[in-house]
Amino acid sequence: LTAQSYTLNKYSQESLSQLQVFATQIGGALLRAKTSEDLRHEHKELRKNQAQLLISQQLAHIGSWEYDAVKKLSQWSAELYQIFDIDPQEHIKMHHIMSRIHPDDAELFTQEMQANALIRTDYRIIIPNGDIRWIHEEVDIPEFKDGKPILLRGSAQDITKSKEAEERLAESDSLRELLLDIITHDLK
């Protein structure tokens, strides 16, 4: 309409100014509506991805964490609270973790947490009901300051079932070897 008015000289300069203001407002409203719709779509996709991540973590018995050494703040995923059997309402401190580490693995755990490199380790925890869980943990240290880690990120996976299967396999291998020794001895 504004373009036509310039070529046909149907509107006054004042009317054209008002038309331009209206056109700008309508264009802005359309842009905001599109942006708002885009944001709603992106938010919906984000919620879907978060739900998929939660399900994946639950199925794999794996949780993630991040520790800001400067602020001394930890963030844990919901599954990690489940693995360590800690109330999700609690703010995680090192004493929460250390109270769960099996006494035979505490020194190893402490040494590995003081390393300045990618860490992959297996250790045991004891949850409040007395059960022992095996944890496989991988730690990345993406940020350093003055040679000290200031940000640590990691994942911890409950590998208890696979460790128990390994132990049963080792026991059956030992039993098989014993039976073979007995049979071999008897045959000789």
Side-chain angles (χ1 to χ4, degrees):
L1 188 62
T2 304
Q4 283 181 350
S5 67
Y6 281 115
T7 58
L8 302 175
N9 292 327
K10 287 185 172 182
Y11 300 102
S12 69
Q13 190 62 35
E14 184 181 324
S15 296
L16 286 175
S17 295
Q18 287 179 339
L19 282 172
Q20 286 176 330
V21 169
F22 291 140
T24 302
Q25 289 175 341
I26 291 170
L30 289 172
L31 184 61
R32 283 190 301 278
K34 173 143 179 56
T35 302
S36 178
E37 183 60 35
D38 289 345
L39 287 174
R40 275 193 289 276
H41 177 71
E42 288 173 10
H43 186 69
K44 183 179 177 182
E45 283 296 311
L46 180 60
R47 284 193 314 238
K48 179 182 167 187
N49 291 340
Q50 286 174 330
Q52 288 174 333
L53 177 61
L54 287 174
I55 291 168
S56 297
Q57 285 186 345
Q58 289 171 349
L59 292 173
H61 302 289
I62 191 168
S64 59
W65 58 268
E66 183 173 289
Y67 178 68
D68 183 327
V70 175
K71 297 177 184 174
K72 301 202 183 298
L73 290 175
S74 292
Q75 274 188 293
W76 280 25
S77 68
E79 186 63 18
L80 199 54
Y81 282 100
Q82 292 290 326
I83 291 169
F84 276 78
D85 197 16
I86 295 176
D87 181 2
Q89 301 303 317
E90 290 192 47
H91 291 293
I92 298 301
K93 302 279 186 203
M94 187 53 85
H95 77 271
H96 287 107
I97 301 165
M98 292 307 294
S99 70
R100 298 282 197 270
I101 303 295
H102 192 284
D104 294 342
D105 296 341
E107 186 176 335
L108 168 73
F109 181 83
T110 303
Q111 288 172 355
E112 300 231 351
M113 289 301 121
Q114 293 172 350
N116 288 340
L118 180 66
I119 302 162
R120 290 184 176 96
T121 188
D122 293 347
Y123 58 88
R124 292 167 289 175
I125 62 171
I126 303 171
I127 59 173
N129 70 5
D131 287 348
I132 294 176
R133 292 183 180 166
W134 277 94
I135 305 299
H136 173 75
E137 188 154 35
E138 298 202 14
V139 180
D140 184 27
I141 308 171
E143 292 183 35
F144 287 89
K145 185 176 184 181
D146 300 326
K148 294 185 178 184
I150 60 170
L151 181 66
L152 295 97
R153 291 183 183 132
S155 64
Q157 184 174 19
D158 182 348
I159 57 167
T160 306
K161 289 181 181 177
S162 64
K163 283 290 189 179
E164 289 171 351
E166 284 176 21
E167 288 174 7
R168 285 192 303 274
L169 184 59
E171 288 172 6
S172 68
D173 282 348
S174 296
L175 182 59
R176 181 181 54 82
E177 287 178 23
L178 177 63
L179 287 172
L180 280 173
D181 286 347
I182 292 170
I183 291 171
T184 303
H185 180 266
D186 286 349
L187 287 174
K188 287 180 182 178

